[in-house]
């Protein structure tokens, strides 16, 4: 009998302190609500390491019951690309960077905003709380649409 295998989702933004950690938390919560098996990670194309999520990102997520206060930034590495079933980026330039660094990422790199009818997920970095709430709302809409398109069960 085949063993169910969780989806592996990698969310990528620039510094991995705002959008991608928010997306990681929202996607895991979306999967949990649906009873789906999913493991989420995030990283940034800038390669910033060991920085906490932005304070307003932490606050915006806490408002919807998602805790990202322990998040520390990291880059995106070949192992992450190999691990991921899907790589969901916030902007087209993130996709270009990943595809140029890791040619084998091309077929599984998707622009998350396209699942919400947008061209990009705007970066709220250094912005007021309303920008983080808007970003959270955009991420939620795109993630819900993406997750709802995944088959509920995967096997090895």
């Amino acid at each position: 009998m085949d063993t169910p295998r969780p989806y592996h989702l990698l969310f990528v933004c620039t510094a991995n302190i705002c959008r991608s950690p928010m997306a990681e938390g929202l996607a895991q919560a979306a999967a949990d609500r649906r009873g789906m098996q999913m493991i989420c990670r995030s990283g940034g194309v800038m390669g910033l390491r060991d920085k906490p999520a932005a304070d307003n990102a932490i606050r915006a997520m806490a408002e919807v019951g998602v805790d990202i206060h322990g998040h520390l930034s990291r880059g995106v590495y070949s192992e992450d690309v190999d691990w991921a079933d899907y790589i969901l980026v916030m902007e087209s330039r993130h996709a270009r960077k990943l595809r140029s660094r890791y040619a084998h990422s091309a077929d599984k790199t998707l622009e998350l905003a396209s699942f919400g009818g947008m061209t990009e997920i705007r970066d709220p970095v250094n912005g007021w709380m309303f920008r983080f709430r808007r970003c959270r709302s955009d991420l939620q809409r795109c993630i819900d649409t993406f997750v709802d398109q995944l088959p509920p069960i995967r096997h090895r």
Side-chain angles (χ1 to χ4, degrees):
M1 183 169 164
D2 288 333
T3 305
R5 178 194 178 282
Y7 279 104
H8 293 171
L9 303 185
L10 176 64
F11 294 92
V12 176
C13 67
T14 304
N16 191 224
I17 60 170
C18 297
R19 294 172 288 179
S20 58
M22 290 171 71
E24 177 184 358
L26 289 168
Q28 193 64 63
D32 293 348
R33 281 193 309 275
R34 290 165 174 80
M36 293 178 74
Q37 293 186 0
M38 189 176 294
I39 301 171
C40 301
R41 290 184 188 170
S42 62
V45 295
M46 194 168 91
L48 188 66
R49 295 185 58 173
D50 297 327
K51 299 296 180 195
D55 288 342
N56 281 347
I58 294 168
R59 282 199 275 291
M61 297 304 291
E63 290 176 351
V64 294
V66 178
D67 182 5
I68 64 167
H69 86 275
H71 173 81
L72 293 175
S73 65
R74 60 190 300 277
V76 177
Y77 307 99
S78 183
E79 306 82 54
D80 297 312
V81 172
D82 294 341
W83 171 85
D85 294 313
Y86 297 100
I87 302 168
L88 297 144
V89 301
M90 305 300 143
E91 301 174 31
S92 58
R93 68 186 175 102
H94 301 141
R96 285 192 302 274
K97 279 190 179 187
L98 288 177
R99 289 175 181 138
S100 71
R101 288 181 193 165
Y102 310 106
H104 63 291
S105 73
D107 290 341
K108 56 182 164 181
T109 300
L110 306 169
E111 293 182 36
L112 181 59
S114 68
F115 293 92
M118 300 177 288
T119 56
E120 70 177 23
I121 305 291
R122 288 191 200 168
D123 194 349
V125 71
N126 297 323
W128 295 94
M129 198 59 199
F130 79 88
R131 287 184 63 192
F132 283 84
R133 288 181 180 123
R134 182 179 59 211
C135 180
R136 181 191 67 209
S137 175
D138 290 346
L139 287 167
Q140 187 70 69
R141 182 172 65 250
C142 297
I143 288 166
D144 283 342
T145 301
F146 175 78
V147 170
D148 285 343
Q149 293 179 18
L150 294 172
I153 299 173
R154 296 263 321 248
H155 292 86
R156 292 181 198 252

